[in-house]
Amino acid sequence: MDLAAAFSQHLPISSAHYSLEIAEQRIDGDAGEAWSALSVNAEGDRVVTVRLVVWEVDGDDRSIRDIKEQDVVVVPAAHVDDPRVPAYFDGWAAAVRTAFTRLEEVIVAEGEAAAGNRVEEAVPYEMFCPEVLELRRPQTAEEFTDALLSNRKRLGWLLP
């Protein structure tokens, strides 16, 4: 299974105020090595460099308010061969899109203050919950979305 392709198809995830994207290919200055979107760390986990952008919106104009970039484990080594990984990716992306959409709805209806500063204070790794693969129950994208959003220790903290 090509995990890089399966994961990459889901990003960027964007709304008017937030975006989550894969950082461009980087060059390691010391070694001169190019890093692709998905790499393997020493433990065998699949890791990607993710950028979380918070946008300042003024009418039709957008400018960057905050930007954070971080290496994030997207698939732990123990689950690299798990046949549910593509469903997890689909469910994870749906969960993040749902959270961003709900936050945008609150901003439109009640103003930015009502949405809180969840995303502004977050770092990229908090947008990922690969530990959900340890659960036996989720098998489909919808089940992964539900598992991710129904628990505040996973992605439920994003919901207003």
Side-chain angles (χ1 to χ4, degrees):
M1 161 180 8
D2 185 358
L3 293 179
F7 178 73
S8 298
Q9 71 182 350
H10 294 294
L11 293 175
I13 297 173
S14 297
S15 69
H17 289 85
Y18 314 109
S19 64
L20 192 63
E21 55 199 45
I22 295 174
E24 297 297 321
Q25 184 178 29
R26 300 182 313 172
I27 304 295
D28 181 335
D30 295 331
E33 295 178 25
W35 296 355
S36 65
L38 193 70
S39 59
V40 180
N41 67 12
E43 292 79 28
D45 302 325
R46 297 324 187 252
V47 177
V48 68
T49 304
V50 177
R51 184 178 301 130
L52 175 61
V53 181
V54 177
W55 298 93
E56 184 72 42
V57 179
D58 184 18
D60 291 337
D61 296 328
R62 273 189 356 164
S63 58
I64 295 174
R65 180 188 312 165
D66 191 22
I67 187 166
K68 298 172 188 150
E69 193 171 287
Q70 187 175 36
D71 289 341
V72 174
V73 172
V74 292
V75 180
H79 297 285
V80 168
D81 295 322
D82 188 330
R84 301 174 305 144
V85 168
Y88 161 66
F89 288 157
D90 292 344
W92 166 82
V96 173
R97 283 189 185 90
T98 297
F100 282 6
T101 298
R102 289 191 187 163
L103 287 166
E104 291 296 334
E105 290 168 353
V106 168
I107 290 169
V108 168
E110 303 173 37
E112 285 188 46
N117 52 1
R118 296 166 178 77
V119 179
E120 289 87 346
E121 292 179 354
V123 290
Y125 87 88
E126 293 174 306
M127 300 287 180
F128 294 84
C129 303
E131 65 275 4
V132 78
L133 287 164
E134 294 172 13
L135 302 174
R136 293 182 189 271
R137 186 173 216 161
Q139 298 293 316
T140 66
E142 294 79 16
E143 291 169 342
F144 276 107
T145 300
D146 290 344
L148 288 162
L149 290 176
S150 65
N151 188 319
R152 291 216 173 266
K153 291 182 180 178
R154 295 184 191 124
L155 293 179
W157 64 269
L158 274 170
L159 298 174

